[in-house]
Amino acid sequence: MTLSRTHILALLTLYAIILGLRILVEVVGPLGPITGQLLTLLAFYIALGQAFNIFLGMTGYVDFGYVAFMALGMYGMASGVVRAYEAGLPGYYGIVFGLIQTITLTSLLALIVGGIALRLRGAYFAIATISVNEGLRYLVEGLDIWEGSRGLIVSGPLIRLFGSEGFSLLATIISDIMVFSVALLALVISIVFLNTRIGYALKAIREDEDAARVMGVNTTMYKVLAFTTSGILGGLLGAAWSFKVASIYPPDAFNILYTIEAIILVMLGGAGTLAGPIVSGTLYGSLKYFLAGILPGFQLLVFAPILVAVIVVAPEGIVGALRAYIPATRRFIA
Amino acid sequence: MADITSILPYYIISGLLVGSIYGLATIGLTLIFGVLRVVNVGHGAYIMIGMYVTFWLFTLYSLNPFITLIPAFLVGLALGMLLFYVALKRLLRAPELSTLISTFGFGVILEELAKVLWGADYRGFVYSLGSLYFQGIPLPLVRVWPAVIALGLVIALYVLLYRTRLGVAVRAVTQDPEGAMVCGVDVERVYFLTVALGIGLTTASGALLAIYFQQGINPYIGHLYTLRAFVIAVLGGLGSPIGAFIGGLIVGVIEQASVPLFTMLGAPNPFGLSVFLTFTLILVILLLRPQGLLGR
Amino acid sequence: MVERSWLILGGIVVILLILVGIGYYTTRPPEVTPTTPASTPTGTPTQTPMEVRTPTPTETIAPPVAVPDRIVIGFTLPLSGAFSKEGQLALKGALAAVKWVNEVYGGVKIGGKRVPIEIKYYDDESKRDLVISLYERLITVDKVHFLVGTYTSTLVMAAAPVAEKYGMVFVNWGGASDLINKQGYKYVVTTWTQASRYMAPVLDLISSLDPTAKRVALIWKSDEFNRIVMEGVRSRAQTLGFTIVYDKSFPIGTLDFTPLLVELAVVKPDIIVTGTHFADGLAITKQLADMGVNAKLIAVNVAPSVPDYYKSLGALAEGIVFPSEWEPGVWWGPDYAKKLGVEFFGPTPQEFHVMFLAMHGEEPTEYSASLANAIILLVKAIEVAQSLDQKAVREAFSKLDIVTFFGRFKIDPETGFQIGHQSVIGQWQDGRKVIIWPPDIATGKPYYPVLTWEEKKAGRRAIP
């Protein structure tokens, strides 16, 4: 699909609504039950879906180890800050160093895994990536890298570097800005990809990789490009989130549930659609958030059947179904 | 610790025993994948159900745990049918990945139902048959028999797949669904029976795991086995049941025997590294032989 | 044909599940005491309303402006997901504490008025991402007056920054990691014994029992909690002159300990100390028995303090030693307070025990007691501060040196680290948990050396 100006405008409007709400909440306080952190959680899910969509949605490959990028992002940022603290450097150095580490680590992982494992197809690729993720986790634990299983605690160093106020600012406003930026960046990159030859190449790969190769598409290059982009965005999201969770434990950081969440976000909205992650991220995040209060202890029992029902009724995802059944929406929903 | 290496054979036997059950626990996953091209992300939930069936029938009615294998298998069959009709049938022609969500959701439903019905308690029972001695170290019979039964079930499955009409149909659909349909195979029926059989074997393996470990049964215990099953399935070759069994044996032996080896090498955290080794091995095998050990 | 078999098998599964489920409910033995009303099944706090409100107490005096008509305490709990067991146990404790404060005590004494408390809670699914937004919801939307923590260090670590941002007092009753209070948070107050001091008293116990038992083996899960626990045990071992002859970890998610236990059978230590949680604590005990690994004393972390442990292991649990923050039978009562020369506040341990039994039909556990204690301490701190101002209440916590049913409370004023409370050591003896350490509150004598697995299988009980 090619994106018209209307499509892009509609996407940016959707995004702007959430961002606008976030800013509004920051200024006037929570609107009913809608708090700033809820909106940031939604943005987190949107960013996760959008970033993963660049790879999964566009190429059709399932990266079951996607969470490894987030984990490396978290570790990259957190260890950067901790190192700066230990070396007695000002905190800003730590954050810059953390960002550099995040990008280096995630792109390195993406290039290595992408270069090697992307030769595999379908479920083989999926499980190879699981192995990478679990392998990394047990390597961190087994060899005591980044404090190993004790967990890398970043709140202490942050408080000492930036003071209590500074830490609060980092854990809320600044990391919120980062989360929203990653979401926007992922959206913009998706738009750019789709509107250039990259999008065509990726679509060709998704529909029929062998045919694409025969037609002269450098499939490996495009796959690795999508994989790396998606991975770095995941890493940046992890880096932003590390300020919020303030501590990183291998079993949490490499928890495969994040990958499954990312898959749900992409598929629920509609793989390959750009509005999909925005819709599904909002839906998924708010369902969890509100059910947590309405039915504490039973929300998954309500949530899971909804998930199954939606996907059984609309296997092409919410946005996919909208486009399929209400043709008029195709003009502005991408 | 020289005397530890001398008991390496014990580790290997122990690895083969546990591996045999791991293998059975993976066969359902690989069978369903082979025939339907569906990765059952909620695989562990069915293992958990099997464990609970054994646990409850043993604690409430003092049924011999080995007999509970039959009800566990039947419950699995029924759950498999339910899974097929609710979550898979309509999605067979849908985008490939949508089944990831429906199977995941179905697994979560089972886990949460188990939590509501039976509570989040960690449960267990004690059932003992005495021990064999191997190298002077006890080898409890409650670990030997489940492994033998798992082997028996795998042989039965082999006979079913290679000696019956149904088996021929299943294999035909695995290789070429459209071709099979042209030849008059009722593909949907094969799909249906495969899912039922696959889940049935999974719950049966859950029952065997319950007899093997007996402790720590809770609604979320399946998670421990889902990942392992994925790995074993790929090791053996996705879609190959016999490969999965052999993969299980290999993973079992690695898990057990690499601990003393890493200890000898002086690693700070040998157990953690042995898991790392398992996953690294998978990567290496995937790269050298992407179709797995016994894959086509 | 397919349809029919599907119906039949569907029928079978329904019948079997009903059989198992109903059988469970009907054959369940009454929980602990017959004096209690119909007990709710374990692990299903379905019937509990989300908010517990009570009618305003009778003795109302003209209210000053600043005092609200109820004080709301907010928290999240892992009611589903990996820590749901602990979360559900804790919730029962919170309900008991609210009942005590409102109905027995009569409400918080503030501004010459008695104000009832109310709790507001959400299920955080054992997920850190949800913890963050739910705590903010408690603070900004529900406008709760005070916060208490959630269960387990990883979740507490995610919640604490939110509380700090809004300058809310955060009473941590469920995060045992020492590191929580080393971060420089100003508003985090920890109420229970933290990991490094949790299990070390086991070694004091052995020193007092048998000066010849010196060879200690440590097997522990490599998670942050057990790691810090073991660091504590190791340093105590050094002080007391023990030799650590075996010290190995296993990764999270291990249920098969055979490789380590085989090595242990070769090493033959005097004392085995395991660092575990529930599932692995159960599994490791069973496998020690399977492998016939005997020692003079076996201490297992976390799992044995929950009654399920004995239920699922039966006689194999006899003689197993465990640490606990609190146990029914640990009567840190007014006497203890008098001995220390400090004030006693809240229900006496016996009172709490009886009330809890009546409410929930089961014995309280350390999780139930710890959350209940956090709420009771918060009430005390509010009374001392005579204010709902967060800073004032935090100050009050710093000054408190007090005994509750849970034991002593005294924090390091700067970090909020708990220094007053101490864990106890219990032992399963003839199907009962007996407190054997520290000696001043012990309810029985230790059984030492413990029975071998063979003796236990032959039916011998650990009766000293």
Side-chain angles (χ1 to χ4, degrees):
Chain A
M1 94 189 104
T2 36
L3 296 172
S4 66
R5 194 157 297 175
T6 339
H7 285 136
I8 296 174
L9 223 68
L11 282 170
L12 292 178
T13 316
L14 273 181
Y15 179 85
I17 291 173
I18 307 228
L19 180 62
L21 271 176
R22 177 72 186 91
I23 294 169
L24 191 66
V25 166
E26 197 57 46
V27 177
V28 304
L31 308 164
I34 300 172
T35 65
Q37 288 312 308
L38 166 66
L39 291 162
T40 308
L41 184 71
L42 299 187
F44 172 76
Y45 282 131
I46 292 171
L48 187 62
Q50 204 75 266
F52 196 41
N53 197 23
I54 294 177
F55 183 65
L56 177 114
M58 293 193 189
T59 64
Y61 276 78
V62 192
D63 176 8
F64 252 116
Y66 189 64
V67 62
F69 290 113
M70 269 182 68
L72 281 188
M74 285 185 174
Y75 270 120
M77 177 54 87
S79 64
V81 168
V82 171
R83 195 145 315 151
Y85 168 66
E86 282 164 357
L89 292 167
Y92 307 100
Y93 280 64
I95 292 179
V96 171
F97 186 50
L99 274 177
I100 294 170
Q101 275 205 84
T102 295
I103 293 171
T104 329
L105 283 172
T106 46
S107 44
L108 215 66
L109 179 72
L111 288 175
I112 293 171
V113 175
I116 299 172
L118 272 173
R119 294 189 302 159
L120 304 167
R121 299 262 176 101
Y124 295 99
F125 174 76
I127 291 170
T129 48
I130 292 186
S131 305
V132 172
N133 181 48
E134 295 297 309
L136 266 176
R137 174 192 150 184
Y138 286 106
L139 191 69
V140 169
E141 284 186 13
L143 290 186
D144 258 1
I145 306 167
W146 294 313
E147 298 285 312
S149 55
R150 188 178 309 150
L152 187 59
I153 319 278
V154 71
S155 41
L158 279 176
I159 289 176
R160 272 153 223 147
L161 284 171
F162 297 97
S164 261
E165 299 291 302
F167 171 60
S168 293
L169 206 66
L170 271 173
T172 50
I173 308 297
I174 293 177
S175 75
D176 289 14
I177 293 172
M178 282 174 75
V179 170
F180 274 92
S181 318
V182 174
L184 185 63
L185 194 63
L187 181 66
V188 170
I189 290 179
S190 307
I191 292 172
V192 170
F193 273 19
L194 275 188
N195 272 0
T196 54
R197 59 187 303 151
I198 302 171
Y200 292 109
L202 293 178
K203 194 181 173 192
I205 291 170
R206 190 177 66 187
E207 300 302 330
D208 189 338
E209 189 168 340
D210 296 315
R213 187 177 297 161
V214 172
M215 298 297 282
V217 178
N218 184 349
T219 54
T220 313
M221 187 192 89
Y222 285 110
K223 281 190 295 183
V224 172
L225 177 68
F227 190 62
T228 313
T229 317
S230 169
I232 293 177
L233 286 170
L236 289 174
L237 189 61
W241 211 241
S242 68
F243 292 126
K244 272 195 197 308
V245 291
S247 57
I248 300 139
Y249 304 95
D252 275 346
F254 292 98
N255 193 343
I256 193 165
L257 269 177
Y258 280 111
T259 307
I260 293 175
E261 271 183 338
I263 295 175
I264 289 174
L265 290 166
V266 170
M267 299 301 300
L268 199 62
T273 66
L274 291 188
I278 303 184
V279 172
S280 58
T282 313
L283 194 72
Y284 184 82
S286 20
L287 256 180
K288 290 211 136 186
Y289 178 82
F290 289 112
L291 284 177
I294 301 167
L295 287 164
F298 294 87
Q299 73 241 51
L300 285 175
L301 206 51
V302 177
F303 178 77
I306 294 177
L307 199 65
V308 175
V310 168
I311 205 71
V312 168
V313 172
E316 56 288 88
I318 299 169
V319 171
L322 265 184
R323 285 171 55 88
Y325 297 117
I326 311 172
T329 57
R330 279 180 218 166
R331 285 200 9 244
F332 48 90
I333 297 181
Chain B
M1 292 197 211
D3 36 0
I4 282 174
T5 43
S6 69
I7 47 174
L8 200 61
Y10 181 92
Y11 283 107
I12 291 170
I13 295 283
S14 166
L16 288 174
L17 292 181
V18 75
S20 149
I21 303 177
Y22 288 167
L24 184 67
T26 309
I27 284 179
L29 183 80
T30 202
L31 203 61
I32 293 173
F33 178 82
V35 176
L36 286 87
R37 300 278 135 186
V38 166
V39 179
N40 180 8
V41 187
H43 186 71
Y46 306 93
I47 296 181
M48 176 272 294
I49 294 283
M51 294 177 107
Y52 267 109
V53 170
T54 298
F55 169 77
W56 282 121
L57 293 178
F58 177 76
T59 19
L60 292 180
Y61 307 113
S62 310
L63 216 59
N64 183 317
F66 290 100
I67 293 172
T68 62
L69 210 60
I70 297 161
F73 180 70
L74 290 179
V75 167
L77 277 186
L79 281 177
M81 294 176 184
L82 201 66
L83 172 71
F84 181 76
Y85 274 96
V86 174
L88 295 179
K89 193 177 171 208
R90 288 184 51 121
L91 295 180
L92 288 173
R93 268 164 228 91
E96 203 179 331
L97 298 173
S98 51
T99 54
L100 286 180
I101 298 187
S102 62
T103 53
F104 170 73
F106 210 81
V108 172
I109 294 175
L110 286 181
E111 282 171 7
E112 293 301 312
L113 269 181
K115 195 192 81 187
V116 171
L117 266 178
W118 302 316
D121 310 54
Y122 295 83
R123 298 177 183 275
F125 58 94
V126 175
Y127 173 76
S128 178
L129 292 173
S131 296
L132 296 175
Y133 281 83
F134 187 74
Q135 295 194 305
I137 304 165
L139 198 59
L141 278 170
V142 286
R143 296 192 187 177
V144 178
W145 283 116
V148 173
I149 291 172
L151 182 65
L153 283 173
V154 172
I155 293 171
L157 181 72
Y158 185 85
V159 172
L160 180 77
L161 284 180
Y162 287 87
R163 295 283 181 274
T164 64
R165 284 181 61 86
L166 177 68
V168 174
V170 168
R171 285 185 296 132
V173 175
T174 310
Q175 282 172 8
D176 184 355
E178 274 145 25
M181 202 188 288
V182 170
C183 297
V185 175
D186 182 349
V187 175
E188 195 173 301
R189 183 159 164 266
V190 170
Y191 282 166
F192 167 78
L193 290 173
T194 310
V195 175
L197 183 67
I199 301 293
L201 285 173
T202 308
T203 45
S205 73
L208 290 177
L209 280 169
I211 301 171
Y212 194 101
F213 290 118
Q214 302 187 3
Q215 295 294 333
I217 300 166
N218 77 88
Y220 304 102
I221 196 169
H223 293 211
L224 296 182
Y225 299 103
T226 311
L227 267 182
R228 201 175 261 130
F230 281 179
V231 164
I232 294 171
V234 169
L235 187 64
L238 267 171
S240 157
I242 309 303
F245 188 71
I246 293 171
L249 295 181
I250 295 174
V251 168
V253 171
I254 292 178
E255 266 187 17
Q256 303 274 322
S258 60
V259 174
L261 292 180
F262 274 119
T263 308
M264 276 198 325
L265 295 175
N269 219 335
F271 217 144
L273 279 178
S274 78
V275 187
F276 170 68
L277 183 72
T278 315
F279 287 104
T280 319
L281 181 84
I282 301 304
L283 275 183
V284 172
I285 286 185
L286 272 177
L287 295 175
L288 296 179
R289 217 185 129 73
Q291 68 276 44
L293 290 177
L294 288 191
R296 282 174 289 118
Chain C
M1 184 249 155
V2 163
E3 300 299 325
R4 203 196 305 148
S5 61
W6 133 257
L7 272 178
I8 295 170
L9 274 152
I12 295 178
V13 77
V14 169
I15 291 166
L16 270 170
L17 284 178
I18 290 173
L19 218 76
V20 165
I22 303 263
Y24 163 51
Y25 283 116
T26 48
T27 58
R28 263 174 90 253
E31 293 267 355
V32 190
T33 101
T35 57
T36 56
S39 55
T40 43
T42 14
T44 45
T46 37
Q47 295 81 1
T48 48
M50 198 179 72
E51 291 170 40
V52 181
R53 288 167 199 272
T54 39
T56 12
T58 39
E59 44 160 319
T60 31
I61 312 159
V65 200
V67 181
D69 59 353
R70 52 169 56 89
I71 293 173
V72 186
I73 298 170
F75 53 93
T76 76
L77 280 177
L79 297 172
S80 41
F83 307 114
S84 42
K85 176 70 186 166
E86 296 90 325
Q88 289 171 354
L89 289 173
L91 182 57
K92 291 177 181 166
L95 296 172
V98 170
K99 190 169 175 195
W100 181 84
V101 172
N102 291 345
E103 290 172 21
V104 181
Y105 184 61
V108 186
K109 284 185 224 158
I110 177 167
K113 200 185 152 193
R114 301 298 289 247
V115 184
I117 60 167
E118 180 183 311
I119 55 172
K120 173 94 188 162
Y121 65 91
Y122 297 116
D123 174 11
D124 58 38
E125 287 180 31
S126 315
K127 288 194 67 182
R128 303 199 292 171
D129 316 288
L130 270 178
V131 163
I132 298 165
S133 48
L134 290 176
Y135 267 97
E136 190 177 77
R137 179 170 171 187
L138 287 165
I139 300 166
T140 59
V141 179
D142 304 321
K143 299 208 168 23
V144 300
H145 297 99
F146 293 97
L147 295 176
V148 296
T150 177
Y151 175 72
T152 220
S153 310
T154 53
L155 299 181
V156 170
M157 284 282 193
V162 186
E164 282 291 306
K165 182 199 169 192
Y166 290 95
M168 295 283 285
V169 168
F170 184 89
V171 187
N172 165 35
W173 59 272
S177 171
D178 290 38
L179 300 173
I180 293 169
N181 294 92
K182 288 186 181 159
Q183 302 305 312
Y185 292 131
K186 288 186 196 137
Y187 290 96
V188 179
V189 173
T190 298
T191 61
W192 70 358
T193 304
Q194 283 159 309
S196 59
R197 292 170 56 230
Y198 187 53
M199 213 172 175
V202 168
L203 296 179
D204 297 277
L205 167 74
I206 301 159
S207 293
S208 78
L209 286 174
D210 180 0
T212 61
K214 284 293 175 211
R215 303 175 67 245
V216 186
L218 309 178
I219 295 189
W220 44 282
K221 173 154 73 177
S222 72
D223 65 352
E224 41 82 38
F225 171 65
N226 282 300
R227 240 174 115 141
I228 300 174
V229 166
M230 285 302 151
E231 279 163 18
V233 171
R234 250 177 248 125
S235 80
R236 185 67 63 91
Q238 207 163 24
T239 329
L240 296 174
F242 287 91
T243 333
I244 292 173
V245 289
Y246 187 84
D247 189 348
K248 263 187 204 166
S249 68
F250 54 87
I252 297 165
T254 306
L255 276 187
D256 184 359
F257 304 96
T258 321
L260 298 181
L261 299 185
V262 171
E263 292 183 350
L264 210 55
V266 176
V267 172
K268 292 197 176 55
D270 296 329
I271 300 143
I272 299 173
V273 179
T274 75
T276 45
H277 278 106
F278 287 105
D280 34 19
L282 276 164
I284 209 166
T285 315
K286 176 69 172 51
Q287 287 170 31
L288 280 165
D290 284 346
M291 308 292 298
V293 182
N294 286 306
K296 289 184 180 166
L297 191 120
I298 297 173
V300 177
N301 200 5
V302 179
S305 70
V306 179
D308 287 349
Y309 183 78
Y310 200 90
K311 250 192 257 170
S312 57
L313 284 166
L316 291 182
E318 285 291 322
I320 298 292
V321 166
F322 56 91
S324 177
E325 297 284 351
W326 181 85
E327 283 298 319
V330 175
W331 305 144
W332 306 107
D335 299 345
Y336 177 63
K338 204 175 284 169
K339 209 172 76 189
L340 293 173
V342 300
E343 190 190 345
F344 182 84
F345 181 76
T348 64
Q350 291 89 338
E351 226 182 305
F352 178 76
H353 190 225
V354 169
M355 205 174 98
F356 193 95
L357 269 174
M359 277 181 85
H360 303 297
E362 61 184 50
E363 295 253 350
T365 59
E366 53 183 321
Y367 306 101
S368 327
S370 186
L371 178 50
N373 176 53
I375 292 174
I376 288 166
L377 282 170
L378 189 55
V379 167
K380 182 67 191 173
I382 296 168
E383 288 187 354
V384 170
Q386 278 301 305
S387 155
L388 294 181
D389 179 58
Q390 303 292 330
K391 272 209 174 85
V393 172
R394 176 65 182 82
E395 282 292 298
F397 268 119
S398 291
K399 281 183 240 145
L400 273 186
D401 182 357
I402 196 173
V403 172
T404 66
F405 76 96
F406 194 70
R408 191 174 184 183
F409 172 90
K410 185 177 167 58
I411 53 168
D412 171 39
E414 198 58 39
T415 59
F417 196 89
Q418 182 56 234
I419 48 177
H421 189 258
Q422 54 178 309
S423 54
V424 297
I425 303 295
Q427 185 177 36
W428 280 101
Q429 294 180 2
D430 196 22
R432 289 181 320 113
K433 287 189 274 185
V434 175
I435 313 303
I436 54 172
W437 190 267
D440 51 344
I441 53 139
T443 57
K445 286 200 169 58
Y447 185 91
Y448 181 88
V450 297
L451 299 164
T452 64
W453 300 109
E454 291 72 30
E455 286 170 327
K456 288 190 214 173
K457 283 177 193 157
R460 277 193 57 193
R461 297 301 175 100
I463 307 167

